[in-house]
Amino acid sequence: MQASEVFPEVNLVDALLAEQRELSAVERFAQKHERAMIPRQERHYRDLIPLSRPAPGQQYAFEVNLDKCTGCKACVSACHSLNGLEENETWRDVGTLVGFQSGKAYQQTVTSACHHCLQPACLEGCPVLAYEKDAESGIVRHLDDQCIGCQYCTMKCPYDVPKYSSRLGIVRKCDMCHDRLAEGEAPACVQACPHEAITIRLVDVEETARTTSRPGERLLPGTHPTAYTQPATRFVSARPVPPRADSASAQRLRKEHAHWPLILMLLLTQLAAGIFVFLALESLTNPENFARLRFPVSLAAFGLLNAGLISAVFHLGRPLGAWRFFLGLRRSWMSREILAFSFFAALAGWETVAAGFFPHIPDTTLLVALTGLVAVFTSAMIYIDTHRHFWTARRVSLRFFGTTATLGAGAVLLAGGSSWIAGAGLVLAFFTFAREMAWHHDALQESDAPDHLSARIVEELMPRLFSLRCLLLLLALTGFAAELARPGFGGALLAMAALLVGSFLERYVFFTAVVPHRMPGGFVR
């Protein structure tokens, strides 16, 4: 017998091929495909998913081993392919954490998708109940046929999970491939990861709620506190993540979407509310002048209000389904806003009709004004409830009610109302602008301020905006003074135009300078 028969020669190619057979989940999966050994039950994925369904008090959750994640984005590609996503649509993202640990540079890629929270902000904010949290699995699913494309969930979610499709007019998100899990198969991202960095685990709901409710607890440094939504995802690592680590894109300056229909809606509805507020004041202080102004001013306010409400429709991807807003009244501020403005519009319509055709009926201007203020409050709460630093309760309330007061006063002056009303409106306009400037200055000087990045966006990407708004306030003051000196000369029109343009610029900053909460992003370019 020859030696070659006892010890067969192995060349380099054969050795490499043999080595590659000792592979991870992806290659083992491919081998089973080749040998027709793919079982239908879950034992094929026993190292990637639980062997049993969640017991009472448990739910499914992603577990990400940071030490195994290399940022290859195989999970992103698999999710994209399996779910048939659009070209620029992703339900799973890969970002980078950077920082310093013991004097050495730290860098870690992070893969993340929906965290299937115990208290999902997307579910709580949806006005038409287009989200549901499965009672057995804990998976938060989006109901595409129920969605109206209002995109409020994209503002509410602190992890940038729901993604809006302009082509479909709806929002979509990760559902943990629930149909695959039901058949004992791993989700696409779990199966595709060549290093098994992503797995599905069963977590105890009470323990997760207790852990995530701790003050200051976060999924990763730089992310939003977990007490807000109580996310179920777990990130594990053998090496500790530096507490001062942050997203590689944390200092990237980028203007957010302006949401033009919402800008128009907010300005016109707040203008209408302001007109009724100052018209009510006119009725209490100058009844004779009020009797002259009642019908034309009410008619103008009613028209502006409806124009604003109609413009909001263009923000919806599927406006025909908005009639279902009442489904979310128990928990969604958007549902409450729609209801409040419906009452406001109805009362404003009645007041207009009464002023024009039944002048002897006692006016309801005060009731309409109070309803309008309630509607403005619900608008403010929509943005306050997102927990974004730039949209705190003080800031949003001052901006929205300040706009209501200044525009309403300017409109009443333009219609021939009392000059003291317009003067009060101008005082409020200057106070609002001065307070906003003070917040901007403080945030710009303090690099650790929560809204420091927003201040930099305004300062560096919109450098002449504050100067322009100062000029507009001076023009409003000039117009007011001209109207006092020579009524009817056009000073009121100048003041109103300046106030309106200034409010438009303020609302543009309101939407574009906000920094949404996200998971770690990519490198700064």
Side-chain angles (χ1 to χ4, degrees), residues 223-288:
T223 59
H224 195 273
T226 56
Y228 177 34
T229 63
Q230 298 182 342
T233 300
R234 295 172 53 194
F235 291 92
V236 298
S237 176
R239 56 173 185 163
V241 180
R244 298 285 294 179
D246 207 347
S247 168
S249 62
Q251 298 303 312
R252 181 177 60 181
L253 301 184
R254 184 183 71 178
K255 290 194 289 185
E256 291 297 309
H257 196 285
H259 297 291
W260 299 110
L262 292 183
I263 289 179
L264 192 60
M265 174 262 180
L266 291 173
L267 285 182
L268 292 180
T269 56
Q270 288 165 22
L271 169 59
I275 290 175
F276 278 110
V277 167
F278 285 102
L279 195 59
L281 291 176
E282 191 80 17
S283 70
L284 297 175
T285 59
N286 194 346
E288 293 182 0

Side-chain angles (χ1 to χ4, degrees), residues 48-209:
L48 302 175
I49 65 174
L51 298 178
S52 60
R53 302 283 294 176
Q58 293 182 324
Q59 77 160 68
Y60 287 129
F62 284 114
E63 181 177 283
V64 178
N65 189 321
L66 295 177
D67 300 334
K68 295 182 178 181
C69 180
T70 62
C72 68
K73 299 188 179 180
C75 55
V76 178
S77 298
C79 176
H80 188 280
S81 298
L82 182 70
N83 293 290
L85 305 187
E86 297 179 353
E87 181 179 359
N88 296 317
E89 185 180 14
T90 58
W91 292 358
R92 177 166 284 278
D93 299 305
V94 174
T96 309
L97 276 173
V98 293
F100 288 92
Q101 183 78 290
S102 302
K104 298 181 180 180
Y106 172 90
Q107 176 179 310
Q108 178 61 60
T109 54
V110 178
T111 175
S112 64
C114 178
H115 302 305
H116 301 281
C117 307
L118 306 188
Q119 302 292 332
C122 55
L123 183 149
E124 295 294 330
C126 183
V128 293
L129 305 189
Y131 287 90
E132 67 175 10
K133 185 172 177 65
D134 186 75
E136 180 183 359
S137 66
I139 295 174
V140 179
R141 296 178 56 196
H142 181 263
L143 310 177
D144 292 358
D145 57 344
Q146 191 84 349
C147 181
I148 61 174
C150 69
Q151 305 168 57
Y152 188 38
C153 56
T154 66
M155 297 183 183
K156 283 274 291 176
C157 177
Y159 303 112
D160 191 32
V161 169
K163 302 297 196 306
Y164 179 69
S165 169
S166 57
R167 182 181 66 86
L168 299 174
I170 61 172
V171 166
R172 302 196 294 179
K173 63 172 282 294
C174 158
D175 60 1
M176 202 182 277
C177 295
H178 68 280
D179 51 344
R180 295 172 63 89
L181 278 175
E183 297 297 326
E185 298 185 6
C189 57
V190 174
Q191 178 182 310
C193 181
H195 305 289
E196 302 182 19
I198 311 170
T199 54
I200 304 295
R201 297 288 185 243
L202 293 177
V203 297
D204 183 84
V205 172
E206 290 188 4
E207 175 62 26
T208 302

